[in-house]
Amino acid sequence: MSNNGEKRRPIWRDKETGSIKIIDQRRLPHELIVVDLQLVNDCITAIQDMYVRGAPLIGVTGAYGVYLAVLNFPTQEIEADYLISECRRIKAARPTAVNLSWAVDRVYDKLKHISNKDQAISVAQQEADLIAELEAENCRKIGAHGLPVIRNISREKDGRTVNVLTHCNAGWLACVEYGTATAPIYAAFDAGIDVHVWVDETRPLNQGARLTAWELGQQGVKHTLITDNAGGHLMQHAKVDLVIVGTDRTTFTGDVANKIGTYLKALAAKDNQIPFYVALPSSTFDWHINDGVKDIPIEERDPNEIKFVQGRKAGKTLSVLISPADSPAANFAFDVTPARLVTGFITERGICKASAQDIKQLFPEKSKR
Amino acid sequence: MSNNGEKRRPIWRDKETGSIKIIDQRRLPHELIVVDLQLVNDCITAIQDMYVRGAPLIGVTGAYGVYLAVLNFPTQEIEADYLISECRRIKAARPTAVNLSWAVDRVYDKLKHISNKDQAISVAQQEADLIAELEAENCRKIGAHGLPVIRNISREKDGRTVNVLTHCNAGWLACVEYGTATAPIYAAFDAGIDVHVWVDETRPLNQGARLTAWELGQQGVKHTLITDNAGGHLMQHAKVDLVIVGTDRTTFTGDVANKIGTYLKALAAKDNQIPFYVALPSSTFDWHINDGVKDIPIEERDPNEIKFVQGRKAGKTLSVLISPADSPAANFAFDVTPARLVTGFITERGICKASAQDIKQLFPEKSKR
């Protein structure tokens, strides 16, 4: 996507040095810093400490992590045990997003019978590049399939502004291009539909206030930042026509793990009969877990992410303590929205209802598993 | 309540100087600053800029504002027009809380036939003091009536920890003593019941993180700070036994205006069959408005309250910008939870259901209006 007129992705392979470049998303919107990932550990840190985040992007970063593992192997003959253990370490970096395992396993599967290092580097590089392109293309298709949803609302409203609410950042920064939740919004914007986005700030790490607001601003899409608390009130007063969010993992039965607080917005959408869509590439489906609320692992992160808020003051980025210094805090990073609250999934193959039957109808090859 | 062993209220009349003293709650928890209110304008600023907040405390502050109006009148003969216009200015300071009108009108009613300044000062002072004592006593009674709710849950759980979730600050800082939502919690704590409080941070002004966490910590009550997004997840996983919140205005039909985000917690409580109580003195009931969602005025505050977050860094209190500098933001301060989501009201006269019939049964003198 464009940033100050320059084409940008949140991750890319430097063709000269072989290293992987990422935007350090912790520093946005105040600073645009590009970081080099040279070692597997750099890649793990980037995922754990959220230099990169968002299910598709974590997957792509993991894929390049496997590439870095083979690139850095000290001899010409790659050891199978080494590769297995490095893949395991990368997959453990964040527990909730399923794309990470999916992408790492995909590169590993291509490598598992290759022991020659040069050949392995070439195969890993190709496969990781391919996953990146695939996710970009998936997001483009999600935009194309989601566009009619927004267009129909625009028609029903006789062209008046369509108000979309989104939570967290499921934009191009979370993916490779277009985003998932934002893809239909960008597609509608490009099609000349009058669209406005309510941006949940998304505590504790403020991905909405920092990233989604920045992204939409860069592309010129109308938006308004709100607190995570405000969505229900806006829905009660007919100020929201549609909710679209991304997801970190969605079960084949339709339960949606996404950034903490998503469940509350889904409840409010249901209570006010507002459509609640989840946009995702099929790499985010979990084809094994049946009951998302019970069985999707929910990451608990450092309580200081709640107690300290990062922002900008006098040209510097710094963190301030918002609570008493000795207050205990608990930081659950995700919640699960049950399928019954979801109007539909917008995928690269089209839209389906949030049920095992409808999902498998769209992805029949998965039902054979 | 006690603060570092000292007895404290958030507002009191200085018997030597005649001025009104308040704790500047904008500076908590990092600094405990006491401010003098000498003029009606000081009182209005204190309410608008949220040195004081919370329905009962705003009411008491408004009552003392009328006292300051007569205290500062330049001649010995108070003009009726002056008093009416000063009362109107005070009541306009914040639109959502009904206690402000209630308390100002109550003092005004005592004064309206008095023109002698000394006599007016004495009457206003007595009535404002009385309102302060009345609200303290109401909160004590709310605690007594709410205690059995917590005790019953404790018994059902065989004495295991009772987990209460609260939103915003409806503690002693919002009242005069005990608080509304916190009164049953303090009563349970004093009765030796094992109680723990999930404290919503309450964006944008973080009254939970700054005030409720501080209050509970000072009294030694177990608590954990969470984001406003986390409550739904905790309820899904049986980590919340009970929700208690305060209110800024509750219609006689049972609709509850409270800090923005309350409605989302009420939806989650309903979805998980968790009791959702609202604690309030009868001064917070609005006996005129029928449909709270439609007709309670919702204050929209400065968007910068969202874009900037105040906290502590290196011994200083400062504000940092969390979003792009040019992002538009919208700051709705309250929302309305429909009566159908409320399990019951805990009032100074006991507990009742959230219906016009049950509320009027408890306050029959109001049904004559």
Side-chain angles (χ1 to χ4, degrees):
Chain A
M1 303 294 274
S2 68
N3 158 239
N4 285 326
E6 248 181 274
K7 278 273 172 197
R8 275 217 181 270
R9 284 183 169 185
I11 192 166
W12 66 97
R13 188 168 52 80
D14 186 317
K15 276 163 194 159
E16 279 174 33
T17 65
S19 74
I20 305 304
K21 305 271 191 187
I22 55 165
I23 296 175
D24 180 354
Q25 301 192 25
R26 302 170 311 163
R27 313 290 284 273
L28 287 172
H30 308 299
E31 297 166 277
L32 201 152
I33 309 272
V34 172
V35 172
D36 248 27
L37 306 183
Q38 298 186 342
L39 306 171
V40 172
N41 279 348
D42 297 343
C43 166
I44 291 172
T45 302
I47 294 171
Q48 278 179 338
D49 292 354
M50 298 179 70
Y51 294 56
V52 292
R53 17 70 53 210
L57 180 57
I58 289 176
V60 173
T61 309
Y64 281 121
V66 185
Y67 157 74
L68 291 174
V70 294
L71 191 69
N72 287 294
F73 195 71
T75 68
Q76 269 302 315
E77 200 75 8
I78 293 185
E79 286 165 23
D81 284 357
Y82 161 82
L83 194 60
I84 290 170
S85 114
E86 289 300 89
C87 286
R88 197 174 292 143
R89 285 208 305 135
I90 298 167
K91 290 200 280 185
R94 295 201 73 193
T96 303
V98 77
N99 298 59
L100 183 55
S101 298
W102 171 84
V104 168
D105 287 345
R106 197 174 147 143
V107 183
Y108 173 77
D109 281 348
K110 295 277 175 188
L111 291 176
K112 63 186 172 192
H113 300 305
I114 299 171
S115 58
N116 176 271
K117 182 177 166 181
D118 290 337
Q119 197 192 344
I121 291 171
S122 159
V123 167
Q125 175 194 300
Q126 268 180 43
E127 189 64 16
D129 285 357
L130 183 67
I131 291 174
E133 293 310 318
L134 184 74
E135 290 297 43
E137 180 59 11
N138 280 342
C139 286
R140 192 191 62 72
K141 288 178 181 164
I142 288 169
H145 290 300
L147 171 58
V149 175
I150 297 178
R151 180 171 277 143
N152 287 343
I153 295 171
S154 172
R155 282 182 184 150
E156 279 165 28
K157 292 186 80 175
D158 292 326
R160 278 175 293 126
T161 310
V162 178
N163 291 296
V164 183
L165 184 143
T166 192
H167 189 67
C168 198
N169 173 268
W172 66 264
L173 284 167
C175 303
V176 178
E177 295 268 11
Y178 312 105
T180 51
T182 55
I185 295 166
Y186 288 133
F189 177 74
D190 289 341
I193 295 169
D194 184 358
V195 62
H196 164 264
V197 184
W198 294 109
V199 179
D200 274 3
E201 63 174 0
T202 319
R203 287 280 293 144
L205 292 178
N206 295 333
Q207 288 92 337
R210 295 191 302 106
L211 307 177
T212 305
W214 180 78
E215 261 200 15
L216 294 171
Q218 292 284 328
Q219 308 298 320
V221 178
K222 283 193 290 184
H223 63 282
T224 306
L225 177 63
I226 52 173
T227 63
D228 301 313
N229 284 323
H233 170 74
L234 294 173
M235 291 186 208
Q236 282 178 316
H237 292 271
K239 290 179 176 164
V240 177
D241 298 303
L242 171 69
V243 181
I244 314 181
V245 297
T247 166
D248 296 82
R249 181 189 303 221
T250 287
T251 65
F252 70 94
T253 55
D255 295 338
V256 176
N258 191 40
K259 185 56 56 196
I260 190 85
T262 302
Y263 167 52
L264 296 171
K265 294 302 135 61
L267 285 167
K270 187 80 168 183
D271 200 46
N272 294 284
Q273 289 143 12
I274 291 164
F276 183 94
Y277 282 94
V278 179
L280 74 167
S282 55
S283 53
T284 304
F285 278 114
D286 183 315
W287 303 100
H288 304 286
I289 287 182
N290 188 54
D291 182 336
V293 176
K294 235 175 66 196
D295 293 331
I296 294 177
I298 299 297
E299 181 179 1
E300 217 183 315
R301 295 179 60 86
D302 185 348
N304 282 337
E305 290 184 351
I306 295 179
K307 294 174 66 175
F308 292 85
V309 174
Q310 180 189 289
R312 197 76 171 167
K313 175 86 184 174
K316 282 187 193 146
T317 300
L318 46 87
S319 279
V320 296
L321 171 68
I322 61 163
S323 68
D326 57 357
S327 285
N331 184 9
F332 300 92
F334 303 93
D335 63 19
V336 176
T337 299
R340 66 186 151 87
L341 301 176
V342 177
T343 307
F345 293 116
I346 310 174
T347 78
E348 73 269 23
R349 291 212 190 143
I351 294 181
C352 69
K353 285 194 190 152
S355 74
Q357 200 190 332
D358 286 73
I359 294 167
K360 287 200 170 169
Q361 208 155 30
L362 209 55
F363 298 94
E365 73 277 20
K366 301 295 180 182
S367 59
K368 288 171 201 148
R369 292 201 175 189
Chain B
M1 304 294 276
S2 69
N3 159 240
N4 285 327
E6 250 181 273
K7 279 272 172 199
R8 278 221 178 267
R9 284 183 169 184
I11 191 165
W12 66 97
R13 189 168 51 79
D14 185 318
K15 276 162 194 159
E16 279 175 30
T17 65
S19 73
I20 304 304
K21 304 272 191 187
I22 55 165
I23 295 176
D24 181 355
Q25 300 193 24
R26 303 170 311 163
R27 313 291 284 271
L28 286 173
H30 308 297
E31 297 166 277
L32 202 153
I33 310 272
V34 172
V35 172
D36 247 29
L37 307 183
Q38 299 186 342
L39 306 171
V40 173
N41 280 348
D42 298 342
C43 166
I44 290 172
T45 301
I47 293 171
Q48 278 178 338
D49 293 353
M50 299 179 70
Y51 295 57
V52 293
R53 15 71 51 209
L57 180 57
I58 290 176
V60 173
T61 308
Y64 281 122
V66 185
Y67 157 74
L68 292 174
V70 294
L71 191 70
N72 288 295
F73 195 71
T75 68
Q76 270 301 314
E77 202 75 9
I78 292 185
E79 287 165 21
D81 285 355
Y82 161 82
L83 194 60
I84 289 170
S85 114
E86 289 298 89
C87 286
R88 196 173 293 144
R89 286 208 305 134
I90 298 167
K91 290 200 280 186
R94 295 202 72 192
T96 303
V98 78
N99 299 60
L100 182 55
S101 300
W102 171 84
V104 168
D105 287 346
R106 197 173 147 144
V107 183
Y108 173 77
D109 281 349
K110 296 277 174 186
L111 293 176
K112 62 187 172 192
H113 301 304
I114 299 170
S115 59
N116 176 270
K117 182 177 167 179
D118 290 337
Q119 196 191 344
I121 291 171
S122 159
V123 166
Q125 174 194 300
Q126 267 180 44
E127 189 64 16
D129 286 356
L130 184 68
I131 290 174
E133 293 309 319
L134 183 75
E135 289 297 44
E137 179 59 10
N138 280 344
C139 286
R140 192 191 62 71
K141 288 178 181 164
I142 287 169
H145 291 300
L147 172 58
V149 175
I150 298 179
R151 179 172 278 142
N152 287 343
I153 295 172
S154 172
R155 282 184 184 146
E156 280 166 27
K157 292 185 80 174
D158 292 326
R160 277 174 294 126
T161 309
V162 179
N163 291 297
V164 183
L165 184 141
T166 193
H167 190 68
C168 198
N169 174 268
W172 67 264
L173 284 166
C175 303
V176 178
E177 296 268 11
Y178 311 106
T180 51
T182 55
I185 295 167
Y186 289 134
F189 177 74
D190 289 342
I193 294 170
D194 184 359
V195 63
H196 164 263
V197 184
W198 294 109
V199 179
D200 274 4
E201 63 175 0
T202 319
R203 287 281 294 145
L205 292 177
N206 296 334
Q207 289 91 339
R210 295 191 303 105
L211 307 177
T212 305
W214 180 77
E215 262 201 60
L216 294 171
Q218 292 284 327
Q219 308 299 318
V221 178
K222 281 192 291 183
H223 62 283
T224 305
L225 177 63
I226 52 173
T227 62
D228 301 312
N229 285 323
H233 170 74
L234 294 172
M235 292 186 207
Q236 282 178 316
H237 292 271
K239 289 178 175 165
V240 178
D241 297 303
L242 171 69
V243 181
I244 314 180
V245 296
T247 166
D248 296 82
R249 182 191 300 223
T250 286
T251 65
F252 71 94
T253 55
D255 296 337
V256 176
N258 191 40
K259 184 56 55 196
I260 190 85
T262 302
Y263 166 52
L264 295 173
K265 293 305 135 62
L267 285 167
K270 187 79 166 185
D271 200 45
N272 294 282
Q273 289 143 14
I274 291 164
F276 183 94
Y277 282 95
V278 179
L280 73 169
S282 55
S283 53
T284 304
F285 278 114
D286 182 314
W287 302 101
H288 305 285
I289 287 182
N290 187 56
D291 183 336
V293 176
K294 235 175 66 194
D295 294 330
I296 295 177
I298 299 297
E299 181 179 2
E300 218 184 314
R301 295 179 59 85
D302 185 348
N304 282 338
E305 290 184 351
I306 295 179
K307 294 174 67 175
F308 291 85
V309 174
Q310 180 188 291
R312 197 75 171 168
K313 175 86 185 176
K316 283 186 191 146
T317 300
L318 46 88
S319 278
V320 295
L321 171 68
I322 62 163
S323 68
D326 56 358
S327 285
N331 185 8
F332 300 92
F334 303 94
D335 63 20
V336 177
T337 299
R340 66 185 151 87
L341 301 176
V342 178
T343 307
F345 293 116
I346 310 174
T347 79
E348 72 270 24
R349 289 211 191 143
I351 294 180
C352 71
K353 285 193 189 153
S355 74
Q357 200 190 334
D358 286 73
I359 294 167
K360 287 198 171 170
Q361 210 155 29
L362 209 54
F363 298 94
E365 74 277 20
K366 301 295 181 182
S367 59
K368 287 172 202 149
R369 292 200 176 188

